[in-house]
Amino acid sequence: MTDLATGSESTIQGKPTSASRTTLSHIMTHADTNLLGTVHGGVIMKLVDDAAGAVAGRHSGGPAVTASMDEMAFLEPVRVGDLVHVKAQVNWTGRSSMEVGVRVLAERWNESTPAQQVGSAYLVFAAVDADGKPRLVPPVLTETDRDRRRYQEAQIRRTHRLARRRAIKELREARAAKGYDD
């Protein structure tokens, strides 16, 4: 593998998905609610970003910044008194980027019923050095059939992200060439 800053060859030992997988749990209070009385989507998104950031930092062995969040799905409302569990793991790695998959589960704090999935998201993180420049990340080593499926699906999402970015750039360049000032 080539070091991004120096261009010299270096090898980084891969890390298994289990090495950085984590769960962040938080009980929802009235301070977390929106005007409808349920937990604000932004509160859930912050928990998702926090858990994903922890996983990205653990996997990469240092600072990692959020590059994008996509496919954030809110499946069920979260209520005051729910104990929310945000489960995150690295699904895929590139040279300096990682896709982190996140599942959000909720259960009533005072009941012994199973937690229900209430959301999911995919985030891309870039590993950075002290100067904010990209740095290499270890390859993710899949351990289970589920990990391998997540890796393959992450590759598809990456292809779609890159194609979307390229198409938007081409459209903007074409509009600029025609004199449109967007």
Side-chain angles (χ1 to χ4, degrees):
M1 200 176 290
T2 303
D3 185 288
L4 297 177
T6 65
S8 63
E9 288 293 317
S10 70
T11 57
I12 297 179
Q13 185 175 1
K15 286 186 180 179
T17 52
S18 61
S20 58
R21 188 178 292 138
T22 194
T23 301
L24 172 71
S25 297
H26 188 79
I27 193 157
M28 298 292 107
T29 68
H30 286 286
D32 301 316
T33 60
N34 59 27
L35 296 174
L36 298 176
T38 56
V39 172
H40 194 288
V43 170
I44 300 299
M45 290 174 74
K46 175 151 183 5
L47 294 173
V48 164
D49 192 42
D50 287 347
V55 166
R58 290 170 94 178
H59 182 82
S60 69
V65 295
T66 310
S68 71
M69 174 188 262
D70 60 29
E71 298 186 37
M72 180 72 208
F74 296 101
L75 306 173
E76 296 289 334
V78 176
R79 302 171 295 165
V80 170
D82 281 353
L83 181 56
V84 172
H85 308 286
V86 183
K87 298 177 176 280
Q89 78 169 51
V90 173
N91 290 335
W92 174 91
T93 54
R95 291 170 44 96
S96 62
S97 64
M98 304 156 270
E99 183 195 88
V100 178
V102 180
R103 286 185 339 127
V104 182
L105 303 132
E107 61 182 306
R108 294 304 294 167
W109 68 274
N110 60 346
E111 297 175 8
S112 59
T113 57
Q116 175 183 10
Q117 185 170 352
V118 295
S120 65
Y122 299 101
L123 296 89
V124 176
F125 280 79
V128 295
D129 63 18
D131 297 322
K133 304 289 185 209
R135 62 182 175 80
L136 295 174
V137 298
V140 66
L141 304 175
T142 58
E143 299 174 284
T144 66
D145 285 339
R146 177 180 281 178
D147 291 342
R148 285 182 278 284
R149 176 187 55 80
R150 287 178 175 164
Y151 185 90
Q152 291 171 331
E153 290 173 356
Q155 287 180 304
I156 293 167
R157 282 187 293 273
R158 180 176 189 273
T159 299
H160 287 212
R161 279 185 211 103
L162 293 174
R164 182 177 59 234
R165 184 183 314 159
R166 190 170 38 255
I168 290 169
K169 181 181 178 188
E170 290 170 2
L171 176 65
R172 289 180 179 174
E173 288 171 353
R175 289 184 53 80
K178 291 181 180 180
Y180 293 109
D181 184 22
D182 291 336

